[in-house]
Amino acid sequence: MSLNLQRQAYAEHHVKFDCEHENTIIRRRQIKNGAFQYTHQCLRCGEPVGNPIAKVKAEAMHGGPVPDWDVALQEDWEQRRQLSAQAASKAGEAEFWENYNAYLQSDEWKEKRRLVLERDNHLCQGCRRRNATQVHHLTYKHVGRELLFELISICDKCHEVAHDDSD
Ligand SMILES: [Zn+2]
Ligand SMILES: [Zn+2]
Ligand SMILES: [Zn+2]
């Protein structure tokens, strides 16, 4: 199954958030041990750009005292970037289930399902007591081109257990 919406959503996400750091300004940044570092900060994403430079050189470049690092700029960008990535992944997830449900109606799937039930003699492979009522995916990795050993005949009761993520 192809995930066009997801690909598109991620492409848009990358266009929006892969920053080229076109505009930077020299700023004073406090590092872990309390010391200061003079580094260029991207005015768009807030990331440090390039190697730190000496204070004297930084002040000469800036033509006076160097402004402090804009922490909020960096945090704000990071927050927006994460939200955008989440949205892209959600779009993909919704699309996956939509495609999946359509696939379960296809002749292709019906034939696979038939072969798996036949292989398992219509016996649930979870309990080997009850008749199988459905075919369960052991993995969703190859949905649409499943290998038959990735599918298993199962009864309703065992299927509930198989999908129970509570523990
Ligand atoms: Zn940037
Ligand atoms: Zn069973
Ligand atoms: Zn299942």
Side-chain angles (χ1 to χ4, degrees):
M1 287 197 309
S2 66
L3 289 171
N4 293 321
L5 270 180
Q6 182 180 44
R7 222 173 298 132
Q8 199 186 318
Y10 273 113
E12 278 167 18
H13 167 75
H14 283 298
V15 168
K16 254 195 223 159
F17 288 95
D18 288 354
C19 186
E20 309 252 322
H21 313 312
E22 276 168 12
N23 295 305
T24 65
I25 184 178
I26 186 82
R27 278 185 171 141
R28 189 179 77 150
R29 183 186 190 202
Q30 194 154 25
I31 52 172
K32 282 181 201 98
N33 57 9
F36 290 106
Q37 218 173 42
Y38 295 82
T39 312
H40 277 92
Q41 182 173 30
C42 174
L43 288 170
R44 184 165 172 244
C45 72
E47 287 280 313
V49 180
N51 295 322
I53 47 185
K55 182 183 178 183
V56 188
K57 203 179 158 196
E59 281 177 348
M61 273 172 80
H62 193 73
V66 175
D68 280 332
W69 196 259
D70 191 341
V71 179
L73 178 67
Q74 202 175 357
E75 283 175 355
D76 182 55
W77 172 271
E78 183 53 25
Q79 203 177 357
R80 280 186 292 133
R81 196 184 62 77
Q82 280 179 18
L83 283 174
S84 159
Q86 276 170 21
S89 130
K90 262 206 184 125
E93 225 172 276
E95 187 180 24
F96 173 87
W97 290 111
E98 210 171 286
N99 287 347
Y100 180 67
N101 289 327
Y103 172 62
L104 294 186
Q105 306 302 316
S106 69
D107 290 345
E108 217 182 324
W109 167 253
K110 281 176 189 155
E111 176 59 8
K112 268 188 191 169
R113 188 180 185 280
R114 190 186 69 74
L115 288 169
V116 170
L117 286 167
E118 190 181 272
R119 179 198 65 201
D120 297 337
N121 293 318
H122 292 264
L123 193 64
C124 169
Q125 299 302 295
C127 60
R128 291 187 66 85
R129 297 221 184 290
R130 290 179 287 268
N131 275 333
T133 52
Q134 45 205 308
V135 168
H136 168 70
H137 279 85
L138 294 175
T139 168
Y140 290 110
K141 206 169 149 191
H142 300 131
V143 170
R145 52 188 184 97
E146 298 93 344
L147 301 166
L148 294 187
F149 60 75
E150 293 172 330
L151 300 168
I152 200 102
S153 306
I154 199 165
C155 74
D156 287 346
K157 276 210 166 129
C158 291
H159 200 214
E160 261 176 48
V161 176
H163 283 276
D164 179 11
D165 301 326
S166 65
D167 45 23

